[in-house]
């Protein structure tokens, strides 16, 4: 079982930046596809980016060149650097871990955290 805990969310003015973290614990010895996705009120979940165990990175349309996924393997932390945030980026942000085959921003689990709220105001 892998446990995921997101942090780093908050309120930021439009144009600002935030860095989200996702701490993995439990059995981290397996190879995973790690993903960031988000969900705004009344909207469907939207994949942002994925990072596979082999280092392959895939961005979804919502990343728009403003978001960067990375990880610290020694600390088992997944990051999402978000720059030039806009009001439409307001959402709950989640990280998830899934099987490494067919890795992509569409992955939603089976392991996921509780989320961290990001609110962007104008």
């Amino acid at each position: 079982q892998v446990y995921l805990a997101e942090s780093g969310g908050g309120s930021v003015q439009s144009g600002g930046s935030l860095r989200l973290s996702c701490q993995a614990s439990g059995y981290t010895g397996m190879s995973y596809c790690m993903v960031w996705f988000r969900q705004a009120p009344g909207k469907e979940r939207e994949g942002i980016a994925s990072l596979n165990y082999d280092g392959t990175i895939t961005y979804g349309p919502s990343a728009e060149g403003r978001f960067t996924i990375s990880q610290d393997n020694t600390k088992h932390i997944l990051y999402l650097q978000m720059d030039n945030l806009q009001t439409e980026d307001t959402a709950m942000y989640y990280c998830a871990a899934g099987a490494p085959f067919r890795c992509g921003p569409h992955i939603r689990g089976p392991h996921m955290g509780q989320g961290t709220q990001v609110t962007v105001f104008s």
Side-chain angles (χ1 to χ4, degrees):
Q1 180 70 25
V2 174
Y3 301 95
L4 304 173
E6 302 92 339
S7 62
S11 295
V12 62
Q13 191 169 21
S14 178
S17 298
L18 284 174
R19 188 176 78 159
L20 306 183
S21 299
C22 173
Q23 176 71 63
S25 60
Y27 184 56
T28 57
M30 294 180 61
S31 299
Y32 290 101
C33 169
M34 300 299 297
V35 172
W36 284 102
F37 67 93
R38 68 186 182 185
Q39 187 168 25
K43 295 187 177 181
E44 294 185 354
R45 290 176 173 178
E46 182 179 34
I48 300 171
S50 64
L51 195 161
N52 209 355
Y53 75 100
D54 62 357
T56 302
I57 292 175
T58 304
Y59 290 102
S62 60
E64 298 178 347
R66 300 179 293 121
F67 297 174
T68 304
I69 190 171
S70 63
Q71 67 181 0
D72 184 330
N73 287 326
T74 60
K75 297 180 180 179
H76 303 298
I77 300 176
L78 181 73
Y79 298 105
L80 184 67
Q81 176 67 41
M82 305 188 295
D83 298 316
N84 190 23
L85 284 161
Q86 304 299 313
T87 55
E88 53 266 34
D89 296 316
T90 294
M92 186 71 82
Y93 285 70
Y94 300 88
C95 67
F101 53 87
R102 296 183 182 177
C103 181
H106 63 280
I107 296 294
R108 299 290 179 264
H111 311 288
M112 61 177 285
Q114 295 298 310
T116 185
Q117 177 68 39
V118 171
T119 302
V120 185
F121 57 91
S122 58

